[in-house]
Amino acid sequence: MTRDRPQSIVVLTGAGISVESGLPTFRGADGLWEGHRVEEVASPDGFAREPLLVHRFYNLRRAALHQVEPNAAHLALARLEREWQGDFLLITQNVDDLHDRAGSQRLLHMHGELRRARCTHCGASSSWVTALSPQTACPSCVQTGGMRPDIVWFGEVPMHLEACFTALSQADLFVAIGTSVTVYPAAGFVSLVAARSETRTLELNQEATGNPLFHEVRLGRATETVPELVAELLA
Ligand code: APR
C-alpha cells in the first residue's frame, strides 16, 4: 500500500470514545466506585468475595446503557466500515453497546459486553439486559448461583485475541481512539503494526499517551477527530 491509500484498517477504541455519550472513563475519575477500586470489583476474587457488590456494580452500568446513545464518533466508525473498500476491523475494549447500536458489525469486544451474561456451571453465554443476581437461573442449564457478567476481569484472558492478532498482522493503518493504552494486550497492538514498514499508526485522544510508536497524534474530542478522519479516509 502507498502511504496515502491504506488497504487494511484496524481500529482500537477505549473508554474515551464513549465519554461524550455520558459514560465515564476508567482512569479519568479517581478509579473508585462507591469507595471500591475498580480493579477489586472487576476481578474473579472480588466476585468470589462479594458477589452481590459486583452484581450491583454491573447491574447499575447495564441499566445506564438505556440512558445513553451512540455519539458522532461511534456513527463515523460504522460509516467507515460500510463505505471502506478494503479490509476493516473494529476492536473495542469497551463493554458498552454503543458501537453495536451505531451499526458496527465487524466488531470484536475483547473485554466482553455488559449486555451478555455467562453461566459458570455450563459456560453458556446469553444476551442479557436486566439485572443479574445469585438467584438468576441460567437460560441454558437452568441452574442458579452461577451467572456472572460476560466481561473479562483483571487477570482473565481477553476474548477474540486470535482474530485481533490476525487482523493486526495484515493492517497497514492502525488507529487507537480514546484509550490510554495502559492495559495489555491491547496496549501492545500498536507495536505489532508499527514494527512493519509501510504501515501508519495514528492516535486520536484527548491527551496524548506519548507512545512513540504512533506516527501521528491528533488531540481533541472523539466526536470531532473521528468524523474528520473518516471523511479524509473516504474522500
Ligand atoms: N475524546 C477522546 N479521548 C478521550 C475523551 C474524549 N472525549 N475523553 C477521554 N479520552 C481519553 C483519555 O485521554 C484517555 O486516554 O480516553 C482515554 C481513557 O483511558 P482509560 O480510562 O484508561 O480507558 P481505557 O484505555 O479504555 O482502559 C482500558 O482498562 O480498566 C480497564 O478493562 C478496562 O477496557 C478498560 C481498559
Side-chain angles (χ1 to χ4, degrees), residues 23 59-69 97-98 101 115 128-131:
L23 294 178
N59 290 344
L60 289 171
R61 291 178 64 201
R62 193 177 304 110
L65 293 180
H66 298 291
Q67 270 81 44
V68 296
E69 295 294 328
D97 62 346
L98 295 175
R101 286 161 57 194
R115 289 198 164 190
W128 206 271
V129 292
T130 56

Side-chain angles (χ1 to χ4, degrees), residues 14-16 19-20 25-28 93-94 111 154 178-183 204-207 220-222:
V19 165
E20 291 161 86
T25 64
F26 285 90
R27 291 163 189 84
Q93 301 170 91
N94 300 340
H111 290 165
F154 288 92
T179 176
S180 60
V181 282
T182 48
V183 174
L204 303 187
N205 206 327
Q206 195 159 42
E207 296 126 38
R221 294 203 312 268

